Amino acid sequence: MSRIRFEWKVESQQMERFDSEDKTAKRRRWRNMMLLAALIGLLLASIALSLLFVRQRIYEVETQFAQLLQDTVKAEVAALRIGDLNGFLNVQDSEDADWMNQQRLMFQRYSDLKSSGAIELTGSILAVDIAGERARALVQEDINERPYAKLWFYRRSGDGWRHIAPDYTFWGEPGWLESPDARVNYRAADHELARQVSAALQDWIARGCAILDCGDLPMLTVDIDPEAAVEVAWTNEAAMRLLIRSPYVDIARADRPFDGRLQMLVSRMLAERLINAHSVDLTPAYPHDAYYLHSAAIAWLSEEFTGLDSGAVLMRSLAENYGADKVARMLTQLSDTSDMSLMEAALAQPLAGADLDWRDFIEWRLALENELFIARRQNEWLSLYDTTDENVRLVAYDRYSRSETAPDYRVIDQLIGSGPDGKHQLRATVQARGSKGAGDEIILFNLVKSVWKRAS
């Protein structure tokens, strides 16, 4: 208790001394504290206002630069539209002689497109990105009434913006999109392309592996790179790493940068990879029918992915009339030297009565016949004919001895019936490719041990 009384006494004494302080001094001290606080507040307000002013000034300058860039782009497009070569070249980087020559050629190409009515230079600027003295603009132009976009790059100098050669170091910050089955790496200029590629690949892989046995495939990785040497290529097929060159290096659809051509290229690469996984990396041997069957299956699966016509009408008719599982079964049974009798095994019914469209297969056979003829591979060439028929064999030998190459045929129709000897026969109506409908030709094929052999 004595200790408590002592501490209380000390505190009481301190309070008494404090309370006894002169009131004038207390007011002076309080006034000084308020003055200091006001000065600090004023200083902070001044700093904030200065920062706000600087920020506003920077914004105004950036806005001016952005407006100047847009004005430059519009002036450049206007020069192209009216055919003003000097006005067009005045906007270019005159320090780069190669670039100036390229742009002169570009101006001429635009002039040719304008004269044919194939292009409309709208001058629409879809996006602008500025970083210091560098900038890029996504500029729209309509070709054959479809919107396309080009990336134009600029450098700011003392007298304004100048159009320069593509600057691959200014393609934007890296990013990626990831789905359960695919990862797409890209840079900011290709964001919309990456989004469309990612969505398509996820759908394609899911549908492809619902048809085929894909096995334990690694995740597909796609790298979109403006500096890629080719449009589409595997950098590591086993690891499923695919490289796509940015279409903005040249020109891309403004609404659909992952357009039909690029879709066909990517989908064929993926279709081949999935089919190889299903068939355990089988390599079909040329010139056996297996070579055609493998290639046709890839084209058909690519068509299934994109909805774009691949010309694989036999596989399409097989899938549509008997189910996609029949294509998978055929691929499972495929060997490197299989012939067309494999189709009969996959269908589990005679080929003669099957509802199949043979046009692309017949075209392939006719092209193959010409290839073997030019290569003078007589035995393989002769195996394409129905040599069980003496008349056909004589016609074949006579044709081979004349050393005349055949035209590139296009099969426009087929009719399956019976020949004079009762054999199942396919009558193919063909035209030489490139001919304008002048004179159709009928070429006959007999079904010999479930394989179509030429009979005329």
Side-chain angles (χ1 to χ4, degrees):
M1 294 296 290
S2 61
R3 180 182 177 187
I4 294 174
R5 285 197 300 272
F6 178 75
E7 290 177 349
W8 171 253
K9 185 177 179 179
V10 171
E11 186 176 347
S12 298
Q13 292 172 351
Q14 289 174 343
M15 290 175 64
E16 287 174 2
R17 285 198 301 271
F18 180 81
D19 291 339
S20 65
E21 185 180 0
D22 181 68
K23 291 183 178 181
T24 302
K26 288 172 64 176
R27 283 195 300 270
R28 187 166 52 252
R29 187 174 66 253
W30 176 255
R31 187 170 56 252
N32 290 339
M33 290 175 61
M34 290 300 100
L35 181 59
L36 178 61
L39 289 173
I40 292 173
L42 183 60
L43 177 62
L44 292 175
S46 299
I47 293 173
L49 288 173
S50 298
L51 291 175
L52 183 62
F53 175 78
V54 171
R55 181 178 178 183
Q56 179 64 25
R57 183 56 185 159
I58 291 174
Y59 173 77
E60 290 175 356
V61 171
E62 288 178 345
T63 301
Q64 290 174 1
F65 286 151
Q67 186 60 54
L68 180 59
L69 175 63
Q70 293 190 46
D71 292 343
T72 302
V73 173
K74 290 179 180 179
E76 189 173 3
V77 173
L80 284 171
R81 189 186 298 120
I82 65 176
D84 180 4
L85 176 60
N86 290 331
F88 177 71
L89 293 179
N90 284 340
V91 185
Q92 310 304 315
D93 178 16
S94 59
E95 296 179 3
D96 187 340
D98 289 340
W99 175 247
M100 293 294 286
N101 290 332
Q102 291 178 36
Q103 291 303 86
R104 284 189 179 90
L105 294 174
M106 178 65 70
F107 184 89
Q108 186 58 52
R109 283 197 291 271
Y110 274 112
S111 298
D112 294 341
L113 287 170
K114 284 190 304 173
S115 63
S116 64
I119 193 170
E120 180 182 353
L121 298 169
T122 67
S124 299
I125 301 173
L126 304 179
V128 170
D129 291 276
I130 300 175
E133 296 183 350
R134 298 192 298 177
R136 65 176 183 267
L138 190 61
V139 183
Q140 180 176 328
E141 55 190 51
D142 294 348
I143 300 176
N144 297 322
E145 300 183 348
R146 294 180 179 178
Y148 285 81
K150 276 190 169 184
L151 270 180
W152 288 358
F153 290 83
Y154 295 83
R155 185 180 64 242
R156 184 163 49 85
S157 59
D159 56 349
W161 293 100
R162 289 289 178 266
H163 192 167
I164 63 172
D167 183 358
Y168 298 126
T169 67
F170 188 49
W171 215 260
E173 293 299 314
W176 70 89
L177 295 171
E178 193 165 308
S179 62
D181 296 311
R183 174 188 170 104
V184 180
N185 301 315
Y186 66 96
R187 288 160 67 187
D190 289 309
H191 173 76
E192 180 58 21
L193 171 67
R195 188 191 64 79
Q196 294 180 18
V197 168
S198 178
L201 290 176
Q202 182 59 30
D203 175 57
W204 295 351
I205 292 172
R207 288 198 285 137
C209 292
I211 298 169
L212 305 170
D213 178 11
C214 294
D216 187 20
L217 284 175
M219 172 181 278
L220 175 61
T221 301
V222 176
D223 300 307
I224 301 176
D225 186 352
E227 297 185 87
V230 293
E231 283 187 89
V232 180
W234 290 112
T235 53
N236 188 329
E237 186 172 356
M240 290 186 67
R241 191 164 196 119
L242 189 67
L243 180 65
I244 298 176
R245 183 172 62 205
S246 170
Y248 292 111
V249 169
D250 183 22
I251 191 168
R253 278 287 294 267
D255 57 338
R256 190 159 49 92
F258 192 39
D259 65 1
R261 172 181 168 76
L262 192 53
Q263 283 189 32
M264 286 292 288
L265 292 172
V266 173
S267 64
R268 283 191 71 94
M269 301 289 279
L270 178 61
E272 183 174 11
R273 183 66 178 85
L274 297 186
I275 284 175
N276 286 344
H278 177 86
S279 57
V280 197
D281 292 320
L282 173 77
T283 301
Y286 176 91
H288 295 277
D289 289 345
Y291 191 85
Y292 159 82
L293 290 168
H294 185 262
S295 176
I298 292 170
W300 166 78
L301 188 57
S302 168
E303 182 178 310
E304 283 290 292
F305 291 158
T306 64
L308 301 172
D309 186 3
S310 67
V313 294
L314 176 57
M315 289 297 160
R316 187 192 308 154
S317 64
L318 175 62
E320 289 179 352
N321 297 330
Y322 300 98
D325 62 298
K326 296 298 189 294
V327 179
R329 181 187 300 178
M330 181 272 296
L331 289 168
T332 300
Q333 299 172 349
L334 188 67
S335 72
D336 59 341
T337 58
S338 293
D339 60 30
M340 195 51 69
S341 63
L342 180 67
M343 291 283 286
E344 188 168 272
L347 283 171
Q349 72 174 72
L351 282 185
D355 186 10
L356 297 173
D357 189 337
W358 295 94
R359 285 176 298 159
D360 66 314
F361 172 69
I362 296 300
E363 278 189 16
W364 178 77
R365 271 296 188 83
L366 292 171
L368 175 64
E369 183 180 330
N370 213 29
E371 290 169 10
L372 295 176
F373 177 83
I374 293 171
R376 309 308 289 171
R377 296 166 67 167
Q378 181 175 356
N379 291 336
E380 291 164 317
W381 182 87
L382 196 59
S383 71
L384 303 178
Y385 282 77
D386 178 12
T387 55
T388 63
D389 185 316
E390 179 65 18
N391 291 329
V392 173
R393 188 158 53 86
L394 291 174
V395 168
Y397 278 125
D398 179 63
R399 180 172 292 137
Y400 193 84
S401 65
R402 290 201 303 268
S403 299
E404 295 176 0
T405 58
D408 186 12
Y409 287 118
R410 181 172 66 93
V411 180
I412 59 177
D413 198 11
Q414 68 172 44
L415 178 65
I416 297 178
S418 297
D421 56 359
K423 289 181 180 179
H424 295 295
Q425 193 169 80
L426 185 152
R427 294 169 55 88
T429 304
V430 303
Q431 287 180 346
R433 197 178 297 274
S435 67
K436 299 181 180 179
D440 296 342
E441 182 180 345
I442 302 295
I443 300 180
L444 304 177
F445 291 82
N446 290 338
L447 193 60
V448 181
K449 296 181 179 179
S450 301
V451 178
W452 291 114
K453 302 276 190 175
R454 185 165 178 175
S456 67

